[in-house]
């Protein structure tokens, strides 16, 4: 395999704010693997500072695999040659893409996909995310998208969160609501915050406290079900989540690609967890594999293409909150 690595940026329609900061664009690492037969596979990854990743470090880690790829490293060997994370994700996705092209099949038709319990890709309904703002601004933002079936509300972890969620409920009275604190709450403030969420009819709270403080959740009531995001990366992390969380959020940049993500999906369901498939803020190339993975899960959070001012060509097809499986020209 011949390896090419590049970085790209895509503008967002408007600034997007979570508890860790605000962004105006998406920065990604793109990988191309070209075989001797001329077939090309592509993958995209998003380095995440929360996990100590940078564009430069992820790019360097991928480039360092060049000699091994030229020497015949395959997708299975990649799983132990690199740790889980964004760098492995980009390469794993490129391997799946080129495997599909060589077989003249879609990814979800491949024997390897089926062997890992992969679903047949279909259109999925995604949440639509509202970023953090003042309660009044969030009420107006919710009113603008009140027709969407599920809204995901980013929260700050401060004293204004109850007012924010009440404002969103007022703006979108019929929408289902889930919230994401991005580790912003404290264990001490958890009870009051969850009570406010329950009162507003919130169905799910994603990662309320820092992953390092997860042990505190084992002794707390869960009036609203909890979903592990930063606390769940691969199958190896599942054991610590029992009794603390009800759902896990599978993201390809955390699992290090589809190969581990498929195995995690099976393992999580077998362990009694509900499953969400989410993503980092990516272009359609990064979201496409997650759409294939997401068929049949309990909750889908794959709305970045809805939030981008510019995207890949071709991009994923959207209809409201519905995201359709990718064309082969995009991925898989």
């Amino acid at each position: 395999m011949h390896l090419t690595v590049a970085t790209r940026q895509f503008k967002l329609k408007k600034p997007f704010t979570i508890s860790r900061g605000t962004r105006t664009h998406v920065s990604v690492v793109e990988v191309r693997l070209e075989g001797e037969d001329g077939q090309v596979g592509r993958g995209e990854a998003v380095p995440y500072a929360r996990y100590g990743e940078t564009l430069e470090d992820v790019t360097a880690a991928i480039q360092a695999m060049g000699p091994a790829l030229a020497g015949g490293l395959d997708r299975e060997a990649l799983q132990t040659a690199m740790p889980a994370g964004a760098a492995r994700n980009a390469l794993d996705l490129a391997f799946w893409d080129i495997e599909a092209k060589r077989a003249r099949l879609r990814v979800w038709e491949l024997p390897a996909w089926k062997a890992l319990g992969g679903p047949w890709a279909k259109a999925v309904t995604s949440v639509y995310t509202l970023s953090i703002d003042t309660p009044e601004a969030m009420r107006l933002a919710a009113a603008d998208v009140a027709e969407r079936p599920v809204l995901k509300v980013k929260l700050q972890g401060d004293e204004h969160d109850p007012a924010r969620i009440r404002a969103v409920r007022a703006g979108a009275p019929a929408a289902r609501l889930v919230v994401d604190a991005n580790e912003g709450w404290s264990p001490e403030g958890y009870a009051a915050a969850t009570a406010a969420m329950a009162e507003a009819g919130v169905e799910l709270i994603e990662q309320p406290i820092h992953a390092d403080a997860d042990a505190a959740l084992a002794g707390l009531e869960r009036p609203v079900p909890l979903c592990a995001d930063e606390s769940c990366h691969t199958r190896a992390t599942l054991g610590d989540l029992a009794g603390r969380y009800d759902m896990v959020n599978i993201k390809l940049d955390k699992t290090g690609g589809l190969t581990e993500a498929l195995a995690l999906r099976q393992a999580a369901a077998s362990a009694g967890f509900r499953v969400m498939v989410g993503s980092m803020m990516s272009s359609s190339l990064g979201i496409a594999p997650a759409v294939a993975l997401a068929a049949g899960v309990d909750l889908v959070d794959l709305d970045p293409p809805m939030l981008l001012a510019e995207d890949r060509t071709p991009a994923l097809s959207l209809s409201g909150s519905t995201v359709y499986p990718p064309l082969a020209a995009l991925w898989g």
Side-chain angles (χ1 to χ4, degrees), residues 6-9 27-29 45-47 53-60:
T7 59
R8 290 193 61 180
Q9 286 191 347
S27 298
V28 306
V29 179
V46 180
E53 297 175 333
T54 67
L55 282 170
E56 295 77 15
D57 291 343
V58 168
T59 299

Side-chain angles (χ1 to χ4, degrees), residues 280-307:
M280 305 305 184
M281 191 65 76
S282 317
S283 81
S284 279
L285 178 59
I287 302 299
V291 174
L293 176 70
V297 302
D298 299 285
L299 188 64
V300 177
D301 180 10
L302 298 176
D303 63 346
M306 306 173 197
L307 308 177

Side-chain angles (χ1 to χ4, degrees), residues 77-326:
L78 176 69
Q79 308 309 309
T80 54
M82 299 185 78
R88 192 178 79 187
N89 179 39
L91 285 169
D92 184 81
L93 298 182
F95 269 120
W96 279 104
D97 191 27
I98 201 169
E99 286 175 38
K101 288 178 169 58
R102 284 174 167 167
R104 297 186 179 182
L105 298 171
R106 301 310 309 273
V107 157
W108 48 89
E109 297 175 315
L110 291 171
W113 177 272
K114 296 176 183 178
L116 288 167
W120 189 271
K122 63 178 183 180
V124 295
T125 299
S126 173
V127 306
Y128 184 86
T129 305
L130 300 178
S131 69
I132 297 169
D133 210 321
T134 64
E136 178 60 14
M138 293 183 75
R139 183 189 69 80
L140 294 173
D144 284 343
V145 293
E147 77 286 354
R148 293 185 182 269
V150 189
L151 298 180
K152 179 175 176 176
V153 185
K154 294 286 188 177
L155 294 179
Q156 183 73 47
D158 60 21
E159 69 275 16
H160 301 297
D161 279 352
R164 290 185 178 104
I165 199 63
R166 287 194 296 267
V168 169
R169 173 53 77 201
R176 297 170 56 201
L177 298 183
V178 299
V179 304
D180 186 0
N182 284 116
E183 303 179 288
W185 297 352
S186 68
E188 296 74 21
Y190 167 87
T194 53
M197 301 304 117
E199 184 179 354
V202 169
E203 298 181 13
L204 184 74
I205 299 170
E206 190 175 349
Q207 199 67 43
I209 66 176
H210 197 281
D212 292 344
D214 268 353
L217 294 175
L220 299 175
E221 294 185 1
R222 301 199 296 275
V224 179
L226 301 183
C227 177
D229 182 1
E230 286 85 351
S231 295
C232 181
H233 289 245
T234 65
R235 285 170 290 172
T237 61
L238 278 179
D240 293 332
L241 304 181
R244 304 175 183 179
Y245 291 98
D246 307 282
M247 178 181 281
V248 297
N249 187 351
I250 301 175
K251 294 179 178 177
L252 300 179
D253 282 305
K254 293 189 302 177
T255 63
L258 269 172
T259 303
E260 174 62 23
L262 286 162
L264 174 58
R265 175 179 159 151
Q266 281 192 313
S270 296
F273 292 101
R274 297 165 62 203
V275 174
M276 176 196 301
V277 171
S279 69
M280 305 305 184
M281 191 65 76
S282 317
S283 81
S284 279
L285 178 59
I287 302 299
V291 174
L293 176 70
V297 302
D298 299 285
L299 188 64
V300 177
D301 180 10
L302 298 176
D303 63 346
M306 306 173 197
L307 308 177
L308 294 175
E310 53 189 18
D311 201 351
R312 304 279 182 173
T313 302
L316 286 165
S317 294
L318 309 172
S319 177
S321 291
T322 301
V323 189
Y324 293 92

